[in-house]
Amino acid sequence: MKAPKGQPERLPRPWVGVVSRAHVLRGVAGGFAQLGHGKHGPLARMNVGDWLVYYSPKTDFPDGAALRAFTALGRVIGENAYAFDMGGGFVPYRRDIAYLKEVREVPIREVASDLKFITRRGNWGMLARRGHFEIEMADLHRIGIAMGARGSM
C-alpha cells in the first residue's frame, strides 16, 4: 500500500476475527467482514491492506457444533466501515474484504503449538472472547501457510 505523499509507509497489520463458520461463509460470499455482532469499533481499527483471518469456535451461532478452526483469510479493501440494513431493525457495520479463494479450513490444534499468541498465554480463549484482536505477522504467515495461501501472502 502506498502511503500518502509525505507520510511514512505503514506495514499491514494482521487481525483475528472470532465468528461462527456460517457467518464467515456469508461474509466471504458477499465480500465483507462483520465483527462483534455488527459493532463499528473492530472494523474501524483495521486499515486498507490489513489482513483478517477468521477463527470459528462453532459452526453456527449460538447453538452450532464445536469447530475450533481458522475458516477464512482476506485483506481489507474497503476504506471505511459502513452500516448495512439487514432488516428487522438490525443494522450492523461491515467492511469490504478481498478473501483468498483457494484456502482450506485449518483446525486450530494443527497450528496452535506454533502460534505465539497462543503459546504466550495460558488461556488464549480469553483473548478470543474479545472477538477481534491483533496478532504478529509471523503468526498470520503460519496460519496462512497451513490454509494453503503460500503464494498469496
Side-chain angles (χ1 to χ4, degrees):
M1 309 288 344
K2 279 284 192 196
K5 191 173 182 175
Q7 300 274 328
E9 288 286 326
R10 189 192 67 76
L11 295 174
R13 295 164 66 186
W15 301 90
V16 172
V18 181
V19 179
S20 74
R21 179 207 280 152
H23 290 166
V24 168
L25 295 177
R26 280 187 222 129
V28 169
F32 65 86
Q34 193 171 296
L35 300 166
H37 305 288
K39 292 180 184 169
H40 181 265
L43 300 172
R45 283 193 288 276
M46 297 187 296
N47 292 296
V48 171
D50 284 357
W51 288 95
L52 176 64
V53 61
Y54 277 116
Y55 170 74
S56 298
K58 293 182 174 190
T59 56
D60 207 345
F61 180 82
D63 299 319
L67 183 61
R68 298 182 189 100
F70 293 105
T71 50
L73 175 62
R75 257 187 134 165
V76 177
I77 58 172
E79 290 288 332
N80 296 299
Y82 55 90
F84 183 84
D85 189 346
M86 293 185 69
F90 183 47
V91 184
Y93 283 89
R94 293 180 172 181
R95 188 86 182 254
D96 293 336
I97 306 287
Y99 289 100
L100 303 182
K101 302 295 182 199
E102 302 298 321
V103 295
R104 69 175 186 92
E105 286 186 7
V106 173
I108 196 163
R109 70 181 176 279
E110 290 184 15
V111 293
S113 63
D114 296 326
L115 301 176
K116 288 183 181 179
F117 74 91
I118 293 176
T119 59
R120 285 187 181 162
R121 300 179 71 90
N123 182 1
W124 86 274
M126 294 305 288
L127 184 62
R129 286 187 182 177
R130 293 182 192 170
H132 181 249
F133 56 93
E134 189 172 1
I135 61 175
E136 293 182 19
M137 191 58 83
D139 280 350
L140 179 77
H141 282 288
R142 287 179 187 99
I143 296 165
I145 288 168
M147 294 179 86
R150 297 183 205 307
S152 304
M153 296 180 58

